[in-house]
PDB file of all heavy atoms in Angstrom:
ATOM      1  N   ARG A   1       1.326   8.858  -0.887  1.00  0.00           N
ATOM      2  CA  ARG A   1      -0.123   8.617  -0.864  1.00  0.00           C
ATOM      3  C   ARG A   1      -0.877   9.795  -1.484  1.00  0.00           C
ATOM      4  O   ARG A   1      -1.746   9.614  -2.338  1.00  0.00           O
ATOM      5  CB  ARG A   1      -0.614   8.372   0.563  1.00  0.00           C
ATOM      6  CG  ARG A   1      -2.129   8.129   0.637  1.00  0.00           C
ATOM      7  CD  ARG A   1      -2.631   8.015   2.070  1.00  0.00           C
ATOM      8  NE  ARG A   1      -2.133   9.042   2.966  1.00  0.00           N
ATOM      9  CZ  ARG A   1      -2.559  10.315   3.005  1.00  0.00           C
ATOM     10  NH1 ARG A   1      -3.498  10.725   2.171  1.00  0.00           N
ATOM     11  NH2 ARG A   1      -2.045  11.175   3.857  1.00  0.00           N
ATOM     12  N   MET A   2      -0.526  11.022  -1.082  1.00  0.00           N
ATOM     13  CA  MET A   2      -1.222  12.202  -1.608  1.00  0.00           C
ATOM     14  C   MET A   2      -1.049  12.339  -3.120  1.00  0.00           C
ATOM     15  O   MET A   2      -2.011  12.635  -3.835  1.00  0.00           O
ATOM     16  CB  MET A   2      -0.744  13.457  -0.883  1.00  0.00           C
ATOM     17  CG  MET A   2      -1.300  13.557   0.530  1.00  0.00           C
ATOM     18  SD  MET A   2      -0.959  15.135   1.350  1.00  0.00           S
ATOM     19  CE  MET A   2       0.801  15.038   1.581  1.00  0.00           C
ATOM     20  N   VAL A   3       0.170  12.107  -3.607  1.00  0.00           N
ATOM     21  CA  VAL A   3       0.418  12.199  -5.046  1.00  0.00           C
ATOM     22  C   VAL A   3      -0.412  11.160  -5.785  1.00  0.00           C
ATOM     23  O   VAL A   3      -1.112  11.479  -6.761  1.00  0.00           O
ATOM     24  CB  VAL A   3       1.926  12.014  -5.371  1.00  0.00           C
ATOM     25  CG1 VAL A   3       2.145  11.748  -6.855  1.00  0.00           C
ATOM     26  CG2 VAL A   3       2.716  13.223  -4.911  1.00  0.00           C
ATOM     27  N   LEU A   4      -0.354   9.910  -5.344  1.00  0.00           N
ATOM     28  CA  LEU A   4      -1.065   8.846  -6.050  1.00  0.00           C
ATOM     29  C   LEU A   4      -2.581   9.031  -5.974  1.00  0.00           C
ATOM     30  O   LEU A   4      -3.284   8.781  -6.958  1.00  0.00           O
ATOM     31  CB  LEU A   4      -0.646   7.482  -5.507  1.00  0.00           C
ATOM     32  CG  LEU A   4       0.836   7.137  -5.732  1.00  0.00           C
ATOM     33  CD1 LEU A   4       1.162   5.787  -5.107  1.00  0.00           C
ATOM     34  CD2 LEU A   4       1.203   7.182  -7.192  1.00  0.00           C
ATOM     35  N   GLU A   5      -3.079   9.476  -4.838  1.00  0.00           N
ATOM     36  CA  GLU A   5      -4.510   9.733  -4.735  1.00  0.00           C
ATOM     37  C   GLU A   5      -4.940  10.877  -5.654  1.00  0.00           C
ATOM     38  O   GLU A   5      -6.054  10.865  -6.177  1.00  0.00           O
ATOM     39  CB  GLU A   5      -4.908  10.007  -3.288  1.00  0.00           C
ATOM     40  CG  GLU A   5      -4.898   8.735  -2.447  1.00  0.00           C
ATOM     41  CD  GLU A   5      -5.213   8.965  -0.979  1.00  0.00           C
ATOM     42  OE1 GLU A   5      -5.200  10.141  -0.508  1.00  0.00           O
ATOM     43  OE2 GLU A   5      -5.468   7.965  -0.278  1.00  0.00           O
ATOM     44  N   SER A   6      -4.044  11.847  -5.885  1.00  0.00           N
ATOM     45  CA  SER A   6      -4.383  12.946  -6.800  1.00  0.00           C
ATOM     46  C   SER A   6      -4.526  12.437  -8.240  1.00  0.00           C
ATOM     47  O   SER A   6      -5.160  13.084  -9.063  1.00  0.00           O
ATOM     48  CB  SER A   6      -3.341  14.068  -6.721  1.00  0.00           C
ATOM     49  OG  SER A   6      -2.157  13.720  -7.415  1.00  0.00           O
ATOM     50  N   TYR A   7      -3.963  11.267  -8.526  1.00  0.00           N
ATOM     51  CA  TYR A   7      -4.109  10.616  -9.829  1.00  0.00           C
ATOM     52  C   TYR A   7      -5.265   9.609  -9.821  1.00  0.00           C
ATOM     53  O   TYR A   7      -5.428   8.832 -10.754  1.00  0.00           O
ATOM     54  CB  TYR A   7      -2.820   9.895 -10.225  1.00  0.00           C
ATOM     55  CG  TYR A   7      -1.745  10.809 -10.756  1.00  0.00           C
ATOM     56  CD1 TYR A   7      -0.873  11.464  -9.901  1.00  0.00           C
ATOM     57  CD2 TYR A   7      -1.587  11.005 -12.132  1.00  0.00           C
ATOM     58  CE1 TYR A   7       0.122  12.297 -10.386  1.00  0.00           C
ATOM     59  CE2 TYR A   7      -0.594  11.834 -12.632  1.00  0.00           C
ATOM     60  CZ  TYR A   7       0.248  12.483 -11.745  1.00  0.00           C
ATOM     61  OH  TYR A   7       1.241  13.310 -12.233  1.00  0.00           O
ATOM     62  N   GLY A   8      -6.025   9.582  -8.746  1.00  0.00           N
ATOM     63  CA  GLY A   8      -7.193   8.710  -8.667  1.00  0.00           C
ATOM     64  C   GLY A   8      -6.908   7.294  -8.212  1.00  0.00           C
ATOM     65  O   GLY A   8      -7.760   6.415  -8.329  1.00  0.00           O
ATOM     66  N   MET A   9      -5.716   7.050  -7.676  1.00  0.00           N
ATOM     67  CA  MET A   9      -5.356   5.706  -7.226  1.00  0.00           C
ATOM     68  C   MET A   9      -5.779   5.490  -5.776  1.00  0.00           C
ATOM     69  O   MET A   9      -5.794   6.415  -4.974  1.00  0.00           O
ATOM     70  CB  MET A   9      -3.856   5.490  -7.373  1.00  0.00           C
ATOM     71  CG  MET A   9      -3.391   5.530  -8.796  1.00  0.00           C
ATOM     72  SD  MET A   9      -1.615   5.234  -8.913  1.00  0.00           S
ATOM     73  CE  MET A   9      -1.389   5.383 -10.676  1.00  0.00           C
ATOM     74  N   HIS A  10      -6.105   4.242  -5.459  1.00  0.00           N
ATOM     75  CA  HIS A  10      -6.421   3.842  -4.085  1.00  0.00           C
ATOM     76  C   HIS A  10      -5.102   3.402  -3.448  1.00  0.00           C
ATOM     77  O   HIS A  10      -4.385   2.571  -4.015  1.00  0.00           O
ATOM     78  CB  HIS A  10      -7.442   2.704  -4.083  1.00  0.00           C
ATOM     79  CG  HIS A  10      -7.878   2.299  -2.736  1.00  0.00           C
ATOM     80  ND1 HIS A  10      -8.630   3.109  -1.911  1.00  0.00           N
ATOM     81  CD2 HIS A  10      -7.649   1.168  -2.031  1.00  0.00           C
ATOM     82  CE1 HIS A  10      -8.844   2.489  -0.773  1.00  0.00           C
ATOM     83  NE2 HIS A  10      -8.268   1.308  -0.814  1.00  0.00           N
ATOM     84  N   VAL A  11      -4.768   3.944  -2.270  1.00  0.00           N
ATOM     85  CA  VAL A  11      -3.456   3.725  -1.653  1.00  0.00           C
ATOM     86  C   VAL A  11      -3.611   3.266  -0.211  1.00  0.00           C
ATOM     87  O   VAL A  11      -4.446   3.780   0.529  1.00  0.00           O
ATOM     88  CB  VAL A  11      -2.626   5.033  -1.685  1.00  0.00           C
ATOM     89  CG1 VAL A  11      -1.255   4.825  -1.052  1.00  0.00           C
ATOM     90  CG2 VAL A  11      -2.493   5.568  -3.107  1.00  0.00           C
ATOM     91  N   GLN A  12      -2.793   2.296   0.169  1.00  0.00           N
ATOM     92  CA  GLN A  12      -2.647   1.881   1.563  1.00  0.00           C
ATOM     93  C   GLN A  12      -1.169   2.024   1.907  1.00  0.00           C
ATOM     94  O   GLN A  12      -0.313   1.705   1.077  1.00  0.00           O
ATOM     95  CB  GLN A  12      -3.065   0.423   1.755  1.00  0.00           C
ATOM     96  CG  GLN A  12      -4.544   0.179   1.558  1.00  0.00           C
ATOM     97  CD  GLN A  12      -5.371   0.786   2.667  1.00  0.00           C
ATOM     98  OE1 GLN A  12      -5.003   0.790   3.834  1.00  0.00           O
ATOM     99  NE2 GLN A  12      -6.513   1.332   2.285  1.00  0.00           N
ATOM    100  N   THR A  13      -0.872   2.494   3.116  1.00  0.00           N
ATOM    101  CA  THR A  13       0.522   2.667   3.507  1.00  0.00           C
ATOM    102  C   THR A  13       0.861   1.787   4.704  1.00  0.00           C
ATOM    103  O   THR A  13      -0.006   1.472   5.532  1.00  0.00           O
ATOM    104  CB  THR A  13       0.832   4.141   3.842  1.00  0.00           C
ATOM    105  OG1 THR A  13       0.040   4.554   4.960  1.00  0.00           O
ATOM    106  CG2 THR A  13       0.573   5.046   2.643  1.00  0.00           C
ATOM    107  N   TYR A  14       2.134   1.422   4.760  1.00  0.00           N
ATOM    108  CA  TYR A  14       2.651   0.536   5.822  1.00  0.00           C
ATOM    109  C   TYR A  14       4.054   1.012   6.184  1.00  0.00           C
ATOM    110  O   TYR A  14       4.844   1.353   5.308  1.00  0.00           O
ATOM    111  CB  TYR A  14       2.738  -0.913   5.331  1.00  0.00           C
ATOM    112  CG  TYR A  14       1.470  -1.386   4.675  1.00  0.00           C
ATOM    113  CD1 TYR A  14       1.242  -1.158   3.309  1.00  0.00           C
ATOM    114  CD2 TYR A  14       0.480  -2.038   5.398  1.00  0.00           C
ATOM    115  CE1 TYR A  14       0.078  -1.576   2.697  1.00  0.00           C
ATOM    116  CE2 TYR A  14      -0.697  -2.453   4.791  1.00  0.00           C
ATOM    117  CZ  TYR A  14      -0.886  -2.228   3.442  1.00  0.00           C
ATOM    118  OH  TYR A  14      -2.051  -2.632   2.834  1.00  0.00           O
ATOM    119  N   GLU A  15       4.387   0.968   7.470  1.00  0.00           N
ATOM    120  CA  GLU A  15       5.700   1.427   7.908  1.00  0.00           C
ATOM    121  C   GLU A  15       6.784   0.366   7.778  1.00  0.00           C
ATOM    122  O   GLU A  15       7.959   0.659   7.939  1.00  0.00           O
ATOM    123  CB  GLU A  15       5.647   1.958   9.346  1.00  0.00           C
ATOM    124  CG  GLU A  15       5.401   0.906  10.402  1.00  0.00           C
ATOM    125  CD  GLU A  15       3.920   0.608  10.639  1.00  0.00           C
ATOM    126  OE1 GLU A  15       3.048   1.205   9.986  1.00  0.00           O
ATOM    127  OE2 GLU A  15       3.645  -0.263  11.486  1.00  0.00           O
ATOM    128  N   SER A  16       6.401  -0.867   7.453  1.00  0.00           N
ATOM    129  CA  SER A  16       7.384  -1.939   7.318  1.00  0.00           C
ATOM    130  C   SER A  16       6.784  -3.110   6.548  1.00  0.00           C
ATOM    131  O   SER A  16       5.560  -3.188   6.384  1.00  0.00           O
ATOM    132  CB  SER A  16       7.828  -2.435   8.703  1.00  0.00           C
ATOM    133  OG  SER A  16       6.755  -3.112   9.343  1.00  0.00           O
ATOM    134  N   GLY A  17       7.648  -4.004   6.123  1.00  0.00           N
ATOM    135  CA  GLY A  17       7.178  -5.222   5.475  1.00  0.00           C
ATOM    136  C   GLY A  17       6.337  -6.061   6.417  1.00  0.00           C
ATOM    137  O   GLY A  17       5.329  -6.645   6.021  1.00  0.00           O
ATOM    138  N   ARG A  18       6.733  -6.100   7.662  1.00  0.00           N
ATOM    139  CA  ARG A  18       5.975  -6.874   8.651  1.00  0.00           C
ATOM    140  C   ARG A  18       4.562  -6.310   8.822  1.00  0.00           C
ATOM    141  O   ARG A  18       3.595  -7.064   8.954  1.00  0.00           O
ATOM    142  CB  ARG A  18       6.703  -6.898   9.986  1.00  0.00           C
ATOM    143  CG  ARG A  18       7.934  -7.803   9.978  1.00  0.00           C
ATOM    144  CD  ARG A  18       8.582  -7.853  11.339  1.00  0.00           C
ATOM    145  NE  ARG A  18       9.807  -8.533  11.591  1.00  0.00           N
ATOM    146  CZ  ARG A  18      10.694  -9.048  10.781  1.00  0.00           C
ATOM    147  NH1 ARG A  18      10.522  -9.005   9.509  1.00  0.00           N
ATOM    148  NH2 ARG A  18      11.796  -9.633  11.197  1.00  0.00           N
ATOM    149  N   ALA A  19       4.438  -4.981   8.815  1.00  0.00           N
ATOM    150  CA  ALA A  19       3.114  -4.354   8.930  1.00  0.00           C
ATOM    151  C   ALA A  19       2.254  -4.713   7.720  1.00  0.00           C
ATOM    152  O   ALA A  19       1.054  -4.976   7.857  1.00  0.00           O
ATOM    153  CB  ALA A  19       3.248  -2.841   9.062  1.00  0.00           C
ATOM    154  N   PHE A  20       2.854  -4.751   6.538  1.00  0.00           N
ATOM    155  CA  PHE A  20       2.107  -5.148   5.341  1.00  0.00           C
ATOM    156  C   PHE A  20       1.599  -6.578   5.488  1.00  0.00           C
ATOM    157  O   PHE A  20       0.434  -6.855   5.259  1.00  0.00           O
ATOM    158  CB  PHE A  20       2.989  -5.030   4.099  1.00  0.00           C
ATOM    159  CG  PHE A  20       2.360  -5.602   2.863  1.00  0.00           C
ATOM    160  CD1 PHE A  20       1.463  -4.864   2.103  1.00  0.00           C
ATOM    161  CD2 PHE A  20       2.643  -6.904   2.461  1.00  0.00           C
ATOM    162  CE1 PHE A  20       0.866  -5.400   0.971  1.00  0.00           C
ATOM    163  CE2 PHE A  20       2.061  -7.459   1.332  1.00  0.00           C
ATOM    164  CZ  PHE A  20       1.162  -6.694   0.582  1.00  0.00           C
ATOM    165  N   LEU A  21       2.479  -7.487   5.874  1.00  0.00           N
ATOM    166  CA  LEU A  21       2.084  -8.894   6.013  1.00  0.00           C
ATOM    167  C   LEU A  21       0.999  -9.074   7.067  1.00  0.00           C
ATOM    168  O   LEU A  21       0.138  -9.940   6.923  1.00  0.00           O
ATOM    169  CB  LEU A  21       3.303  -9.759   6.357  1.00  0.00           C
ATOM    170  CG  LEU A  21       4.331  -9.923   5.244  1.00  0.00           C
ATOM    171  CD1 LEU A  21       5.563 -10.647   5.771  1.00  0.00           C
ATOM    172  CD2 LEU A  21       3.736 -10.636   4.040  1.00  0.00           C
ATOM    173  N   ALA A  22       1.037  -8.272   8.113  1.00  0.00           N
ATOM    174  CA  ALA A  22       0.075  -8.404   9.206  1.00  0.00           C
ATOM    175  C   ALA A  22      -1.305  -7.851   8.848  1.00  0.00           C
ATOM    176  O   ALA A  22      -2.306  -8.320   9.397  1.00  0.00           O
ATOM    177  CB  ALA A  22       0.604  -7.695  10.457  1.00  0.00           C
ATOM    178  N   THR A  23      -1.370  -6.888   7.923  1.00  0.00           N
ATOM    179  CA  THR A  23      -2.649  -6.213   7.707  1.00  0.00           C
ATOM    180  C   THR A  23      -3.182  -6.271   6.282  1.00  0.00           C
ATOM    181  O   THR A  23      -4.387  -6.090   6.090  1.00  0.00           O
ATOM    182  CB  THR A  23      -2.552  -4.735   8.121  1.00  0.00           C
ATOM    183  OG1 THR A  23      -1.536  -4.094   7.349  1.00  0.00           O
ATOM    184  CG2 THR A  23      -2.259  -4.589   9.593  1.00  0.00           C
ATOM    185  N   ALA A  24      -2.359  -6.496   5.287  1.00  0.00           N
ATOM    186  CA  ALA A  24      -2.837  -6.479   3.901  1.00  0.00           C
ATOM    187  C   ALA A  24      -3.619  -7.744   3.581  1.00  0.00           C
ATOM    188  O   ALA A  24      -3.257  -8.840   4.011  1.00  0.00           O
ATOM    189  CB  ALA A  24      -1.667  -6.331   2.932  1.00  0.00           C
ATOM    190  N   ASP A  25      -4.656  -7.581   2.825  1.00  0.00           N
ATOM    191  CA  ASP A  25      -5.489  -8.697   2.385  1.00  0.00           C
ATOM    192  C   ASP A  25      -4.675  -9.611   1.477  1.00  0.00           C
ATOM    193  O   ASP A  25      -4.007  -9.154   0.551  1.00  0.00           O
ATOM    194  CB  ASP A  25      -6.700  -8.131   1.634  1.00  0.00           C
ATOM    195  CG  ASP A  25      -7.675  -9.182   1.170  1.00  0.00           C
ATOM    196  OD1 ASP A  25      -7.423 -10.388   1.356  1.00  0.00           O
ATOM    197  OD2 ASP A  25      -8.707  -8.790   0.610  1.00  0.00           O
ATOM    198  N   GLU A  26      -4.718 -10.893   1.733  1.00  0.00           N
ATOM    199  CA  GLU A  26      -4.001 -11.907   0.928  1.00  0.00           C
ATOM    200  C   GLU A  26      -4.336 -11.801  -0.549  1.00  0.00           C
ATOM    201  O   GLU A  26      -3.517 -12.094  -1.393  1.00  0.00           O
ATOM    202  CB  GLU A  26      -4.444 -13.284   1.367  1.00  0.00           C
ATOM    203  CG  GLU A  26      -3.638 -14.213   2.147  1.00  0.00           C
ATOM    204  CD  GLU A  26      -2.173 -14.394   2.062  1.00  0.00           C
ATOM    205  OE1 GLU A  26      -1.671 -14.997   1.087  1.00  0.00           O
ATOM    206  OE2 GLU A  26      -1.516 -14.019   3.006  1.00  0.00           O
ATOM    207  N   ASP A  27      -5.562 -11.430  -0.865  1.00  0.00           N
ATOM    208  CA  ASP A  27      -6.032 -11.410  -2.250  1.00  0.00           C
ATOM    209  C   ASP A  27      -5.986 -10.023  -2.879  1.00  0.00           C
ATOM    210  O   ASP A  27      -6.639  -9.796  -3.897  1.00  0.00           O
ATOM    211  CB  ASP A  27      -7.459 -11.953  -2.316  1.00  0.00           C
ATOM    212  CG  ASP A  27      -7.533 -13.389  -1.834  1.00  0.00           C
ATOM    213  OD1 ASP A  27      -6.618 -14.174  -2.151  1.00  0.00           O
ATOM    214  OD2 ASP A  27      -8.494 -13.723  -1.116  1.00  0.00           O
ATOM    215  N   SER A  28      -5.242  -9.103  -2.291  1.00  0.00           N
ATOM    216  CA  SER A  28      -5.159  -7.749  -2.836  1.00  0.00           C
ATOM    217  C   SER A  28      -4.685  -7.769  -4.275  1.00  0.00           C
ATOM    218  O   SER A  28      -3.827  -8.561  -4.656  1.00  0.00           O
ATOM    219  CB  SER A  28      -4.180  -6.900  -2.030  1.00  0.00           C
ATOM    220  OG  SER A  28      -4.686  -6.632  -0.763  1.00  0.00           O
ATOM    221  N   SER A  29      -5.264  -6.862  -5.053  1.00  0.00           N
ATOM    222  CA  SER A  29      -4.766  -6.666  -6.406  1.00  0.00           C
ATOM    223  C   SER A  29      -4.073  -5.306  -6.429  1.00  0.00           C
ATOM    224  O   SER A  29      -4.156  -4.545  -5.484  1.00  0.00           O
ATOM    225  CB  SER A  29      -5.913  -6.718  -7.416  1.00  0.00           C
ATOM    226  OG  SER A  29      -6.829  -5.681  -7.140  1.00  0.00           O
ATOM    227  N   GLY A  30      -3.394  -5.022  -7.501  1.00  0.00           N
ATOM    228  CA  GLY A  30      -2.668  -3.767  -7.611  1.00  0.00           C
ATOM    229  C   GLY A  30      -1.185  -4.025  -7.616  1.00  0.00           C
ATOM    230  O   GLY A  30      -0.699  -4.899  -8.337  1.00  0.00           O
ATOM    231  N   CYS A  31      -0.442  -3.266  -6.799  1.00  0.00           N
ATOM    232  CA  CYS A  31       1.008  -3.451  -6.743  1.00  0.00           C
ATOM    233  C   CYS A  31       1.546  -2.991  -5.405  1.00  0.00           C
ATOM    234  O   CYS A  31       0.843  -2.397  -4.602  1.00  0.00           O
ATOM    235  CB  CYS A  31       1.688  -2.707  -7.890  1.00  0.00           C
ATOM    236  SG  CYS A  31       1.640  -0.913  -7.734  1.00  0.00           S
ATOM    237  N   LEU A  32       2.816  -3.290  -5.208  1.00  0.00           N
ATOM    238  CA  LEU A  32       3.532  -2.933  -3.992  1.00  0.00           C
ATOM    239  C   LEU A  32       4.653  -1.984  -4.374  1.00  0.00           C
ATOM    240  O   LEU A  32       5.463  -2.299  -5.242  1.00  0.00           O
ATOM    241  CB  LEU A  32       4.086  -4.209  -3.360  1.00  0.00           C
ATOM    242  CG  LEU A  32       4.797  -4.126  -2.035  1.00  0.00           C
ATOM    243  CD1 LEU A  32       3.845  -3.689  -0.931  1.00  0.00           C
ATOM    244  CD2 LEU A  32       5.367  -5.487  -1.678  1.00  0.00           C
ATOM    245  N   LEU A  33       4.667  -0.817  -3.744  1.00  0.00           N
ATOM    246  CA  LEU A  33       5.734   0.164  -3.930  1.00  0.00           C
ATOM    247  C   LEU A  33       6.623   0.045  -2.706  1.00  0.00           C
ATOM    248  O   LEU A  33       6.199   0.354  -1.592  1.00  0.00           O
ATOM    249  CB  LEU A  33       5.114   1.551  -4.051  1.00  0.00           C
ATOM    250  CG  LEU A  33       5.998   2.708  -4.416  1.00  0.00           C
ATOM    251  CD1 LEU A  33       6.659   2.478  -5.763  1.00  0.00           C
ATOM    252  CD2 LEU A  33       5.173   3.988  -4.449  1.00  0.00           C
ATOM    253  N   LEU A  34       7.854  -0.427  -2.895  1.00  0.00           N
ATOM    254  CA  LEU A  34       8.683  -0.888  -1.784  1.00  0.00           C
ATOM    255  C   LEU A  34      10.022  -0.164  -1.726  1.00  0.00           C
ATOM    256  O   LEU A  34      10.808  -0.219  -2.676  1.00  0.00           O
ATOM    257  CB  LEU A  34       8.902  -2.399  -1.958  1.00  0.00           C
ATOM    258  CG  LEU A  34       9.718  -3.145  -0.933  1.00  0.00           C
ATOM    259  CD1 LEU A  34       9.109  -3.031   0.458  1.00  0.00           C
ATOM    260  CD2 LEU A  34       9.819  -4.622  -1.349  1.00  0.00           C
ATOM    261  N   ASP A  35      10.271   0.501  -0.599  1.00  0.00           N
ATOM    262  CA  ASP A  35      11.563   1.157  -0.379  1.00  0.00           C
ATOM    263  C   ASP A  35      12.610   0.102  -0.028  1.00  0.00           C
ATOM    264  O   ASP A  35      12.317  -0.859   0.690  1.00  0.00           O
ATOM    265  CB  ASP A  35      11.430   2.167   0.762  1.00  0.00           C
ATOM    266  CG  ASP A  35      12.700   2.962   0.985  1.00  0.00           C
ATOM    267  OD1 ASP A  35      13.369   3.332  -0.003  1.00  0.00           O
ATOM    268  OD2 ASP A  35      13.037   3.228   2.154  1.00  0.00           O
TER     269      ASP A  35
END
């Protein structure tokens, strides 16, 4: 998050796929960085 924000990107973090599904907006644009 800190690295990407230093490049001017807007970042949201999630501890799991389930957390992403529970909280991310259905219509989000951008991308998913997935471990």
Side-chain angles (χ1 to χ4, degrees):
R1 179 185 46 76
M2 286 188 291
V3 165
L4 296 178
E5 287 177 347
S6 77
Y7 282 85
M9 296 181 181
H10 184 68
V11 180
Q12 292 290 323
T13 62
Y14 311 86
E15 69 274 0
S16 69
R18 287 183 185 11
F20 172 83
L21 291 173
T23 59
D25 182 357
E26 253 325 286
D27 299 320
S28 291
S29 61
C31 70
L32 184 65
L33 187 60
L34 181 59
D35 184 39

